[in-house]
């Protein structure tokens, strides 16, 4: 049997304790302990979890029992903490967004190369069931050629009142939720390349950083992908909407309520005009039941624990990390293009 890999968390807030719970239950990982810059965060430590509350970052990094460090601090200190851990010879899982920009990311990758250690990012939403269902529909060509995808997350509470609403700490919704849905956009559409980005950043409840955004990515085959995060949306639009030449798919929310509607008789599309508002329309008349067919969404396996299983295998030299440096480079460049397009109110042309 292979020895379990000793793990510790730096930044023991919401996500740091989330990782700790999962590490403690993983048979290939050994929970060692945590450090937080605010000692009160570790006041009730270790509780039922066990492990050590380290008095300093140095003490944690000096502990030879710690082989893997999870960085779960606010975004602006990811780089500093991750590089310190790599220089101490630890493998690193960094929370998303990996860094504030591409330059920070390159410094982190260089430190990982020098140290010869695994450095990967917790893009956990690649295991979301809603995303995997939409990816399955796209990959299986269920709807025929797909020409538009819309991916939205909507809330109505503004940005939580912590570091997330402060630009200096890497706050704002592009870096918070955007990083997940843009990562999904890039991963599900492979091998397509993004050729242009349009974006609007919103500042409804927060002037310091964006409290939402809407970005349209256009891919080299003409596919468009609308990515939208809103925090002032009292009526929530569907999580996913996909349009293909032969049908449409919708997923309402994270419980994966939704359906696929396919055309069964394209030729039979003439319609009697309907009254629509103050006029008549044939074009927008609803389809009759005999020309369409409805299907449930596909069943998919969505097992987030594959993430840690892969990190363990990567540390043991048995697999390559699933979340790679090049994927992170591409994602950070896309994030920068969204900011650039939004701030200048111009279409950014690129090849990504
Ligand atoms: P949080 O504010 O709850 O926790 C952050 C903790 O880091 C705090 O306890 C703070 O005291 C500590 N900290 C700050 N600076 C530090 C330093 N220099 N050294 C050590 N500790 C320090 O925030 P959170 O919601 O847990 O978010 C942490 C990270 O996790 C962020 O990068 C966030 O984007 C990410 N996150 C990821 C997901 C996901 O689904 N992958 C979800 C939520 C948050």
């Amino acid at each position: 049997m292979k020895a379990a890999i000793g793990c510790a968390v730096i930044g023991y807030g919401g996500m740091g304790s989330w990782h700790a719970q999962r590490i403690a239950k993983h048979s290939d990982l050994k929970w060692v302990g945590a450090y937080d810059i605010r000692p009160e965060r570790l006041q009730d430590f270790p509780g039922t979890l066990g492990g050590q509350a380290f008095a300093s970052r140095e003490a944690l990094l000096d502990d030879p029992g710690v082989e893997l460090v999870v960085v779960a601090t606010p975004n602006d200190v990811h780089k500093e903490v991750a590089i310190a851990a790599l220089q101490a010879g630890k493998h690193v899982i960094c929370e998303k967004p990996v860094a504030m920009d591409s330059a920070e990311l390159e410094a982190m990758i260089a430190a990982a190369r020098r140290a010869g250690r695994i450095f990967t990012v917790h893009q956990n939403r690649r295991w979301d069931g809603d995303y995997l269902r939409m990816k399955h529909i796209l990959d299986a060509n269920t709807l025929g050629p797909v020409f538009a995808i819309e991916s939205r997350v909507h809330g109505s509470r503004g940005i939580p009142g912590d570091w997330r609403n402060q630009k200096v700490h890497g706050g704002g919704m592009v870096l918070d939720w955007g990083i997940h849905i843009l990562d999904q956009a890039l991963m599900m559409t492979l091998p397509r390349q993004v050729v242009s980005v349009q974006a609007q950043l919103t500042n409804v409840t927060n002037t310091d950083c964006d409290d939402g955004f809407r970005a349209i990515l256009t891919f080299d085959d003409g596919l468009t992908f609308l990515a939208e995060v809103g925090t002032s949306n009292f009526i929530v639009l569907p999580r996913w909407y996909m349009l293909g030449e032969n049908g449409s798919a919708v997923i309402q929310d994270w419980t994966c309520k939704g359906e696929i509607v396919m055309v069964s008789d394209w030729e039979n599309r003439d319609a009697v005009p309907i009254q629509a508002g103050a006029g008549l329309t044939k074009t927008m008349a609803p389809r009759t039941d005999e020309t369409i067919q409805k299907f449930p969404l596909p069943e998919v396996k969505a097992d987030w624990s594959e993430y840690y299983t892969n990190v363990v295998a990567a540390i043991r030299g048995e697999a390559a990390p699933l979340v790679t440096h090049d994927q992170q480079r591409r994602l950070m460049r896309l994030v920068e293009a969204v900011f650039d397009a939004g701030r200048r109110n111009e279409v950014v042309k690129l090849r990504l």
Side-chain angles (χ1 to χ4, degrees):
M1 220 178 76
K2 290 177 183 154
I5 295 166
C7 297
V9 166
I10 297 182
Y12 200 70
M15 210 52 198
S17 46
W18 188 93
H19 279 281
Q21 306 287 340
R22 277 143 190 90
I23 290 166
K25 285 190 196 131
H26 199 296
S27 57
D28 285 315
L29 301 173
K30 181 167 177 281
W31 172 240
V32 181
Y35 165 70
D36 196 289
I37 205 164
R38 285 163 57 194
E40 69 272 20
R41 282 285 166 115
L42 296 167
Q43 218 162 32
D44 301 327
F45 203 84
T48 52
L49 203 59
Q52 187 179 344
F54 287 94
S56 68
R57 186 171 91 191
E58 292 68 32
L60 184 152
L61 295 181
D62 280 347
D63 187 330
V66 175
E67 294 160 84
L68 170 64
V69 170
V70 178
V71 179
T73 59
N75 304 337
D76 57 320
V77 279
H78 285 180
K79 175 191 152 199
E80 182 207 320
V81 176
I83 290 179
L86 289 162
Q87 284 173 344
K90 314 299 182 189
H91 302 286
V92 168
I93 292 176
C94 187
E95 259 305 341
K96 52 55 53 179
V98 61
M100 304 277 274
D101 55 37
S102 292
E104 285 199 357
L105 173 61
E106 288 306 328
M108 295 159 97
I109 292 172
R113 288 243 170 88
R114 276 194 300 273
R117 291 293 180 269
I118 298 295
F119 163 58
T120 186
V121 184
H122 190 225
Q123 294 294 166
N124 49 323
R125 293 198 174 277
R126 291 188 192 175
W127 284 270
D128 280 2
D130 53 275
Y131 160 70
L132 289 170
R133 280 174 175 78
M134 277 299 176
K135 183 173 177 337
H136 183 284
I137 293 169
L138 183 65
D139 289 347
N141 205 29
T142 308
L143 307 178
V146 168
F147 56 89
I149 302 174
E150 299 183 8
S151 166
R152 295 184 170 84
V153 292
H154 283 163
S156 55
R157 298 164 194 277
I159 310 180
D162 54 16
W163 56 267
R164 271 181 190 73
N165 63 20
Q166 296 167 40
K167 189 173 178 184
V168 66
H169 294 302
M173 284 298 121
V174 173
L175 287 174
D176 191 54
W177 258 101
I179 205 84
H180 284 303
I181 68 173
L182 293 171
D183 182 61
Q184 291 176 339
L186 291 180
M187 293 306 295
M188 77 189 285
T189 52
L190 283 170
R192 297 169 182 83
Q193 289 196 306
V194 185
V195 293
S196 75
V197 175
Q198 302 167 60
Q200 293 167 316
L201 306 169
T202 62
N203 295 93
V204 182
T205 58
N206 190 298
T207 50
D208 191 42
C209 52
D210 68 280
D211 52 28
F213 72 96
R214 204 172 284 137
I216 298 175
L217 323 179
T218 303
F219 288 86
D220 49 1
D221 65 347
L223 169 69
T224 62
F225 193 111
L226 171 76
E228 184 181 304
V229 176
T231 54
S232 300
N233 297 62
F234 295 89
I235 296 172
V236 173
L237 292 178
R239 173 72 190 83
W240 292 93
Y241 182 55
M242 187 185 281
L243 301 174
E245 289 180 16
N246 304 332
S248 312
V250 69
I251 296 184
Q252 298 295 343
D253 53 29
W254 287 295
T255 67
C256 296
K257 260 193 295 204
E259 64 178 346
I260 294 172
V261 179
M262 303 281 298
V263 66
S264 53
D265 185 356
W266 172 247
E267 294 311 324
N268 185 4
R269 64 182 190 275
D270 209 15
V272 180
I274 57 159
Q275 187 72 33
L280 284 180
T281 180
K282 255 167 103 157
T283 319
M284 300 303 161
R287 279 265 173 189
T288 49
D289 283 349
E290 68 276 11
T291 68
I292 52 169
Q293 263 189 300
K294 295 187 178 183
F295 299 94
L297 295 167
E299 284 304 319
V300 296
K301 176 170 157 266
D303 179 6
W304 165 87
S305 71
E306 283 173 8
Y307 179 76
Y308 265 112
T309 303
N310 169 255
V311 172
V312 167
I315 289 172
R316 289 178 175 162
E318 296 162 359
L322 287 172
V323 180
T324 69
H325 296 170
D326 280 348
Q327 290 164 4
Q328 288 299 312
R329 286 184 165 114
R330 191 166 173 241
L331 180 58
M332 283 312 303
R333 278 188 60 204
L334 177 58
V335 161
E336 286 163 348
V338 167
F339 280 130
D340 192 26
R343 286 175 189 145
R344 291 196 291 124
N345 194 22
E346 280 176 18
V347 178
V348 171
K349 299 257 165 82
L350 72 178
R351 192 133 201 127
L352 193 66

